[in-house]
Amino acid sequence: GQNIDQPTEMTATEGAIVQINCTYQTSGFNGLFWYQQHAGEAPTFLSYNVLDGLEEKGRFSSFLSRSKGYSYLLLKELQMKDSASYLCAVTPGGYQKVTFGTGTKLQVIP
Amino acid sequence: GAVVSQHPSRVICKSGTSVKIECRSLDFQATTMFWYRQFPKQSLMLMATSNEGSKATYEQGVEKDKFLINHASLTLSTLTVTSAHPEDSSFYICSARDGTSGKAFFGQGTRLTVV
């Protein structure tokens, strides 16, 4: 089975840095996704980590440790528009279904 | 970047009618496509997984005769909601997985309202 945990809600200040953690326990692992979802909209792709380490893409970075079953999404220089839900998702071995966590609702305040 | 196009974005239909939703990967071949539904303020719920040329695998509790999925090509999957009822009103979202990179991208979603 798959079990993915991430905090339900977080609040951070505009201009600050926030780290959203995700831990997972899965039968097999082929990659971990992070998506951003604004209310009423479909998720948008942020990152896909297959190997251990940090991948940086502009203000967003994603880290993966396969041995620890752990990932985080780092958002720098927070902007008000970053207020959204951030979804962690894992795919087991092979191109099978992608299993989502419940998402972390991030609120950015002035 | 990879684009997944989903149509229609919004649809209102009468109870008892059927609605077809299309999901296309525009610039990559999608070996696998996923269909989700999402109720307000709730998580994505996977309905089914489809691989090109084979029958879809439905999640427990999802009626395969009510939610017909066809994945006829590597760039197109359709979801047909048959004999729709008001309780089927929801946000339906498709996701297509790039067979080369392994990355999965979402369509824009379809907001279905059954009256």
Side-chain angles (χ1 to χ4, degrees), chain A:
Chain A
Q2 327 285 354
N3 188 37
I4 301 171
D5 289 313
Q6 51 183 132
T8 306
E9 295 182 343
M10 297 182 72
T11 301
T13 305
E14 188 177 16
I17 299 173
V18 70
Q19 177 174 312
I20 303 174
N21 296 323
C22 172
T23 57
Y24 63 90
Q25 295 171 316
T26 58
S27 52
F29 178 84
N30 197 41
L32 185 143
F33 295 89
W34 281 99
Y35 294 90
Q36 179 191 63
Q37 186 177 26
H38 285 100
E41 298 180 10
T44 56
F45 175 88
L46 292 178
S47 65
Y48 179 50
N49 292 65
V50 177
L51 301 176
D52 291 349
L54 183 68
E55 291 193 7
E56 299 182 73
K57 192 185 298 182
R59 293 191 298 115
F60 292 14
S61 302
S62 57
F63 172 82
L64 175 66
S65 169
R66 288 172 295 171
S67 62
K68 296 181 180 178
Y70 168 68
S71 173
Y72 67 73
L73 180 70
L74 193 70
L75 292 74
K76 302 176 185 176
E77 300 170 16
L78 280 173
Q79 302 175 10
M80 299 300 291
K81 67 178 182 179
D82 296 330
S83 293
S85 287
Y86 290 86
L87 311 177
C88 172
V90 174
T91 183
Y95 290 109
Q96 299 174 36
K97 64 182 180 184
V98 179
T99 301
F100 283 82
T102 54
T104 299
K105 186 175 181 180
L106 173 67
Q107 183 181 15
V108 180
I109 58 176

Side-chain angles (χ1 to χ4, degrees), chain A residues 30-31 33 35 37 40-45 48 50 57 87 91-92 94-103 105, chain B residues 31-32 34 36 38 43-44 46 49 51 59 91 93 95 97-109 111:
Chain A
N30 197 41
F33 295 89
Y35 294 90
Q37 186 177 26
E41 298 180 10
T44 56
F45 175 88
Y48 179 50
V50 177
K57 192 185 298 182
L87 311 177
T91 183
Y95 290 109
Q96 299 174 36
K97 64 182 180 184
V98 179
T99 301
F100 283 82
T102 54
K105 186 175 181 180
Chain B
T31 50
T32 307
F34 308 94
Y36 299 86
Q38 187 175 38
S43 305
L44 291 169
L46 179 66
T49 302
N51 294 295
E59 294 298 299
F91 191 42
I93 318 170
S95 173
R97 190 150 192 200
D98 187 329
T100 301
S101 70
K103 297 178 181 179
F105 302 92
F106 283 89
Q108 303 95 320
R111 194 162 301 282

Side-chain angles (χ1 to χ4, degrees), chain B residues 4-21:
Chain B
V4 176
S5 178
Q6 184 175 342
H7 291 283
S9 57
R10 290 180 182 272
V11 59
I12 301 173
C13 71
K14 291 185 177 180
S15 186
T17 61
S18 296
V19 174
K20 180 185 281 189
I21 303 170

Side-chain angles (χ1 to χ4, degrees), chain A residues 45, chain B residues 1-7 23-30 33 74-76 94-98 103-108:
Chain A
F45 175 88
Chain B
V3 177
V4 176
S5 178
Q6 184 175 342
H7 291 283
C23 181
R24 293 180 183 272
S25 57
L26 298 186
D27 51 2
F28 64 94
Q29 293 189 328
M33 286 191 174
L74 283 171
T75 59
L76 174 65
C94 72
S95 173
R97 190 150 192 200
D98 187 329
K103 297 178 181 179
F105 302 92
F106 283 89
Q108 303 95 320

